[in-house]
Every structure is written in C-alpha cells, then in structure tokens.
Amino acid sequence: MKRILLLLILQIFVASIARCQSFTVRDLVTLASQPSQNISHFMYRNGFVSDNSNSEPGTIAASFTQKIKSKKNYDGPLRSVDLFEKQDAKYFIFHTSSLQEYLDGAQRLIKSGFAFDKAVNRNPDTPMLFQKANISIEAIKELVDSNTRYTFTLKEKRIPDSIAYAEDLLQFDSREFLASYFGEKNVREDLYYFSEKELKKCSVLFSGTKYQAAFIWGDENNFANLSYIVVSNVLPTKGGERNGLLEENNAWKFRSGIHSGMRIKDLLRLNEMDFDMYGNKSDLAFMVKPGSAGKIDFKKTAIMFRCINCYDNKIFDQPEISALDIAKANLPLNVFDIIIYPSER
C-alpha cells in the first residue's frame, strides 16, 4: 500500500514538473480568460516569472519568461509571454523557439473550432489567422537576432454593452465577432461591387431590412480587418440588387445627426459650414468631397447623394460644386449612401 501511494505521489510530482516546463496555445487561451489579478499567479503555476527588462513604456504591460533552473545545460524550447492593452482590446502574445510547438498549436486551434482560411498554405513560413467570436489568434514565424521564433498573438476584443448608433458597428473588426454578437442568421456573405468588373467578398448585417449594413474587409479571405461600413437602403452588393429598400430609408442613426434620406439643406445646417461635392465631370459624382471643415468630418464619414431627375442639370456639369449653390437652386438632393471608416486608417 505504501509503495502504491509513493508511486502516485511520484506521478503527481513528475506531472507537475512537466506542466511547469511547458506552455501551449491552449494555456494562452486560458490565460486570456483569467481576471487581471490572477494572471501573475497563473503564469507562476505554469513555470514563468515576471520579466520587464525588455518592456518599452506604453507597449508591454507585463512580460513573463520561462523559469529555467540551469540555463547552461538547458537545450529545450525558449518561451516567453507578453501582455498589453490597446484601446478596446487585450493582447496576449506567446513566443516559442519550438517548431513542433508551433505546428501543434495551429492544429489544436483548428480542432477547437477556430475559423481559418482553408485555402492558405499550412506551413510555418505562411502566417495564419484563427478566429472565434471576439478572439483572433495570428500565428507567424519571425527572425529575431538571427534566431527563429514562432509567435501566437491572441487579441481579445471587448464585447460592446450595447449598439445604439451606426458608428458603434465599427467595433466589429471581423465577421466572426459580428456573427457572435448579432447571430449567424443575421450575417450573410455577399459580393461588393467596387466597379462593374471588380467584386470583393463582404458581410451584410440584417440584409434586406431597414437596418442593413455592408462590412467591407481588408482581408476578404479571413473576413477580417475592417476597411469600412456602407449604410444604405440599396447596397452595392449582389444581394442588394435583390433586397433593395427603394421606398424606405435606412434606419441606422448616426452620432453626428446624419441620417439616410436627409436633404442637402439639412446637412448644410448640421455641418454649419458650406462643403463641396463632386459633379458629373468626376468619377465620384454626387459624393461629398472629403474634408473636415465644419461640424462633420467627411474624411471619416463619406456621403453619397441621390437626386431624381436632376442629373442633367447644368449646375452639375463641372468637377466640383458648392453644396450651398445646390441648396439655393432648390434641387432635391438626399443622402443615399453613408460610409463610415474606423478611426485607425
């Protein structure tokens, strides 16, 4: 009996040592779920000690390195973990010198149900992006001081308490995050028209309703890295051709006070200053010229007008026109497309 008890104690001891000598992507995901006050204890239990010697002010909030008793004789993987916060996201970064740990980590994420680009070449030289709800993990191989290092960068976005304005939608930087918040059935994949011949994958929220909005991604293969959002009653997408709401204005409200269907006279009052829009001699006809004069920043909020039966009016036969001149001519221009951009562009 004593011998069996001794063996059990020994097994627990060996398992404890093995755990302290390893750290996996699974541990990284678990780390992200820990309350801030428990992080140091969690890292200590996993065999790491605090190390802020390489931290730069304002970049890394905490840094941990693997505790190695005898560095002179150690020939195993070198591991470290960095943590920091930026705006509405937390970052947890796991570095390892082990190729096998990198490959095992990527495979574990796939088995855990993380979305990824199935067409990407799965080798260490090709970066991969894994996504689930408000968490994204970028896996890359990098060269640091002539040494190869494999890195998993976990970004955890803060989940919004509520969505009241169209600008609040800018918090959703991936299709996975968007669908996890609003529900899979309310997010549809579509193709966005950049021109008659150029199409790009996009995601449409509440397609065919008065709250529809198209999310255009910088990374269309992973449906991530938000470029901008289009709010309109008729979206320039393949699905929008079938589901346009021609007789009903889009219902999203904007913090600036802009709304779909707004007259150009009302937009002038809201901006408290004249602004220019492009005329028929421009490829961007009927779009407000980007600028920040007045109350509205037209670089962050792009406006496209619609005018029924007035496109042939001579006032538009020029590259640019004053909005005040159009209003004085009493032409029925109304806000049609509203495009909003993330603050970081």
Side-chain angles (χ1 to χ4, degrees), residues 16 21 90 141 157 162 164 232 261 265 298 308 331:
S16 176
Q21 291 178 343
K90 294 181 180 179
K141 172 186 174 182
K157 291 276 288 185
S162 63
S232 177
K265 289 182 179 180
F298 291 111
I308 299 175
L331 294 171

Side-chain angles (χ1 to χ4, degrees), residues 93-257:
I93 308 169
F94 171 44
H95 309 285
T96 177
S97 62
S98 169
L99 170 59
Q100 191 58 52
E101 287 184 354
Y102 177 83
L103 297 174
D104 290 345
Q107 191 60 34
R108 181 179 289 275
L109 291 173
I110 292 172
K111 289 183 177 180
S112 297
F114 277 79
F116 67 101
D117 181 6
K118 294 179 175 59
V120 73
N121 188 359
R122 293 190 218 175
N123 65 59
D125 295 318
T126 304
M128 291 190 70
L129 182 65
F130 302 92
Q131 300 178 90
K132 181 187 286 188
N134 63 323
I135 290 178
S136 64
I137 301 177
E138 184 181 22
I140 63 170
K141 172 186 174 182
E142 52 190 353
L143 200 63
V144 180
D145 297 330
S146 301
N147 296 314
T148 300
R149 185 173 71 176
Y150 304 94
T151 298
F152 292 93
T153 300
L154 186 154
K155 180 173 75 170
E156 181 186 31
K157 291 276 288 185
R158 184 183 67 82
I159 299 175
D161 296 325
S162 63
I163 300 296
Y165 298 96
E167 291 93 341
D168 295 335
L169 296 173
L170 293 170
Q171 299 174 79
F172 299 97
D173 61 349
S174 72
R175 187 254 176 223
E176 282 293 313
F177 190 14
L178 187 68
S180 71
Y181 189 90
F182 290 101
E184 286 283 345
K185 65 179 181 179
N186 294 316
V187 180
R188 182 175 55 78
E189 308 318 316
D190 208 332
L191 291 172
Y192 182 84
Y193 286 103
F194 278 91
S195 66
E196 291 183 3
K197 296 182 179 180
E198 186 181 4
L199 296 171
K200 188 173 183 179
K201 297 175 186 175
C202 69
S203 300
V204 179
L205 176 66
F206 300 132
S207 178
T209 75
K210 63 182 180 180
Y211 284 99
Q212 66 181 1
F215 288 69
I216 314 304
W217 308 113
D219 180 355
E220 64 175 318
N221 293 324
N222 286 296
F223 295 91
N225 187 15
L226 181 64
S227 292
Y228 56 87
I229 300 172
V230 181
V231 175
S232 177
N233 53 323
V234 180
L235 293 174
T237 64
K238 277 204 166 184
E241 294 176 344
R242 301 186 299 271
N243 301 320
L245 303 172
L246 291 171
E247 303 303 322
E248 187 174 8
N249 289 323
N250 195 291
W252 277 109
K253 297 178 181 178
F254 290 78
R255 282 193 171 86
S256 60

